[in-house]
Amino acid sequence: MKRPNWLSQRFNPIFAAFLLIAFLSGIAGALQSPTLSLFLTTEVKVRPLWVGLFYTANAVAGILVSFLLAKRSDTRGHRRRLILLCCVMAVGNCLLFAFNRDYLTLITLGVLMAAIANTAMPQIFALAREYADNEAREVVMFSSVMRAQLSLAWVIGPPLSFALALNYGFTIMFLIAAATFVVCSLLVGFTLPSVPRAKAMDNTLQGGTTVLIDPANAWRNRDVRLLFIASMLMWTCNTMYIIDMPLYITADLGLPENLAGVLMGTAAGLEIPAMLLAGYCVRYFGKRNMMLFAVLAGVLFYAGLVVFNGRSALMALQLLNAIFIGIVAGIGMLYFQDLMPGRPGAATTLFTNSISTGVILAGVLQGALVENLGHYAVYWLAALWMSTRVRDV
């Protein structure tokens, strides 16, 4: 009897399924996202303006759909079935992009299917949180390990995406992404648990009495609003960097184009130990202090991009970038969940929507800043914004 108990404490097949699903979903997403603008330009043959409009429509639709589905998942319905529906929509979306080249169809039906599909990831994390709470497991470390799977996927996915698209065509790339989502669907259907729905009202002790907190009023909480604004602006800074950096290092610094891929891959690789270390340290320093440390790393990173111009210095700065993103991506989601007890789906979706809102804002700001003030203005603004986010964390 002791041997099975010993094994169950060290290896939990359900936790392993969560990790594998997070990794495969990340791989499938990382196959599509990096080459989307190239696909729209070369295959669908639309102007840059319509490429930008597609990204904006995709982000807006994602925010609206994910909020609606998150609300339903936290109040009624079956979270595992919702994840399965999202995976099926992801398969359909990949097949649509594989065989369709009509822009109107892609920006309507394709964006709608993508919005439903993208809800899978926050729902997977929400179900993982519910399962860990129900089993009295270590939530922070497990969530950090899950988030690290996404970083690992983004180390592998983008180079594989370009290799498949450029050497075998976009149809093959999207079909491989569809097959990956099919595997995810099977894993979700046969391995993930059905966790009993938590009560809609969260009980907390205050002065010896039980106080009912209505989770529907969570957005009225000043801390939730400030955290959303802080998270949104941090992701805005990160997205402006991702958009601008390849242009900046070639146009202003005169460095080779392939360095952009090396910098992104290095940062993604370093994010994994950063997330795991953050998950370990949060029990000693607390979520707020860890987030403040991430903000400090972000300020130093963006300021360093202006001060240092050499290849080696830019590579070294990726450590600060990894610390910043690793903590914000891992601890930030849990911070939202703690501020919205009883609604892990809505809290996780609010976190992911702060990312989507940041993407929308970054696309507008980056273009306007570069056109009027140059590339340096992007990083000065990012450093300034990061330094002002301390009071909101």
Side-chain angles (χ1 to χ4, degrees):
M1 293 295 294
K2 291 183 179 180
R3 183 175 178 81
N5 291 337
W6 184 89
L7 287 172
S8 65
Q9 290 176 356
R10 286 157 178 78
F11 177 77
N12 185 316
I14 295 179
F15 278 156
F18 274 116
L19 297 179
L20 182 58
I21 291 169
F23 175 72
L24 291 177
S25 298
I27 284 287
L31 283 176
Q32 301 171 77
S33 297
T35 56
L36 178 59
S37 59
L38 183 63
F39 169 77
L40 293 172
T41 302
T42 60
E43 295 286 309
V44 186
K45 302 187 185 304
V46 295
R47 294 164 45 202
L49 175 64
W50 299 108
V51 174
L53 178 62
F54 189 94
Y55 275 91
T56 300
N58 199 38
V60 172
I63 291 173
L64 296 176
V65 171
S66 60
F67 258 131
L68 292 174
L69 292 180
K71 182 179 180 180
R72 179 178 178 82
S73 71
D74 283 335
T75 56
R76 60 186 183 277
H78 195 294
R79 200 182 298 280
R80 187 180 65 178
R81 290 175 184 170
L82 176 57
I83 297 172
L84 187 58
L85 171 64
C86 294
C87 290
V88 172
M89 287 295 105
V91 174
N93 185 57
C94 291
L95 294 176
L96 180 67
F97 275 75
F99 298 109
N100 188 283
R101 298 296 183 267
D102 178 64
Y103 180 79
L104 185 60
T105 304
L106 295 177
I107 202 173
T108 52
L109 180 60
V111 163
L112 177 60
M113 295 177 72
I116 299 174
N118 290 337
T119 308
M121 192 57 69
Q123 290 298 321
I124 290 170
F125 275 92
L127 182 60
R129 173 69 184 254
E130 288 178 337
Y131 177 73
D133 286 340
N134 193 57
E135 296 293 316
R137 300 280 183 153
E138 174 56 53
V139 173
V140 175
M141 195 62 195
F142 177 56
S143 180
S144 297
V145 174
M146 277 190 65
R147 186 58 183 78
Q149 303 307 303
L150 299 184
S151 292
L152 179 60
W154 274 85
V155 173
I156 301 170
L160 182 60
S161 174
F162 279 99
L164 290 172
L166 297 178
N167 294 312
Y168 300 99
F170 284 96
T171 298
I172 296 297
M173 187 200 72
F174 283 118
L175 287 177
I176 292 176
T180 306
F181 277 122
V182 169
V183 176
C184 288
S185 300
L186 295 174
L187 289 172
V188 170
F190 290 103
T191 64
L192 292 191
S194 296
V195 180
R197 175 67 64 243
K199 293 182 180 179
M201 308 295 285
D202 182 61
N203 297 332
T204 59
L205 293 178
Q206 182 175 344
T209 61
T210 301
V211 179
L212 294 179
I213 300 175
D214 184 358
N217 295 326
W219 181 249
R220 300 176 187 175
N221 186 326
R222 178 176 178 271
D223 293 335
V224 173
R225 293 197 306 270
L226 290 178
L227 182 59
F228 179 86
I229 294 171
S231 180
M232 177 192 69
L233 293 179
M234 285 189 279
W235 288 108
T236 299
C237 295
N238 177 65
T239 306
M240 285 196 301
Y241 162 75
I242 292 174
I243 296 172
D244 189 77
M245 183 267 290
L247 305 174
Y248 170 61
I249 64 172
T250 55
D252 282 18
L253 304 185
L255 296 172
E257 294 179 353
N258 62 354
L259 179 60
V262 175
L263 294 177
M264 289 184 182
T266 300
L270 292 173
E271 282 172 22
I272 298 174
M275 286 177 188
L276 297 179
L277 188 59
Y280 176 79
C281 292
V282 71
R283 71 183 70 178
Y284 302 106
F285 300 103
K287 295 181 179 67
R288 187 174 188 275
N289 289 332
M290 294 297 296
M291 292 288 284
L292 289 174
F293 183 66
V295 170
L296 175 61
V299 172
L300 294 176
F301 171 64
Y302 293 118
L305 291 172
V306 178
V307 176
F308 301 105
N309 306 135
R311 178 190 179 102
S312 298
L314 293 175
M315 289 289 289
L317 284 172
Q318 296 310 310
L319 177 60
L320 292 172
N321 188 24
I323 293 172
F324 167 52
I325 298 300
I327 295 176
V328 172
I331 304 302
M333 180 180 63
L334 296 174
Y335 207 165
F336 274 101
Q337 291 176 345
D338 287 349
L339 292 177
M340 298 173 63
R343 300 192 67 192
T348 309
T349 299
L350 192 62
F351 170 71
T352 57
N353 283 344
S354 72
I355 302 176
S356 299
T357 308
V359 171
I360 297 172
L361 189 57
V364 177
L365 283 174
Q366 186 271 339
L369 286 171
V370 171
E371 187 170 331
N372 294 284
L373 300 173
H375 293 284
Y376 284 99
V378 173
Y379 306 109
W380 280 125
L381 177 63
L384 177 63
W385 263 0
M386 292 294 299
S387 64
T388 60
R389 291 307 96 203
V390 174
R391 68 177 183 272
D392 292 342
V393 175

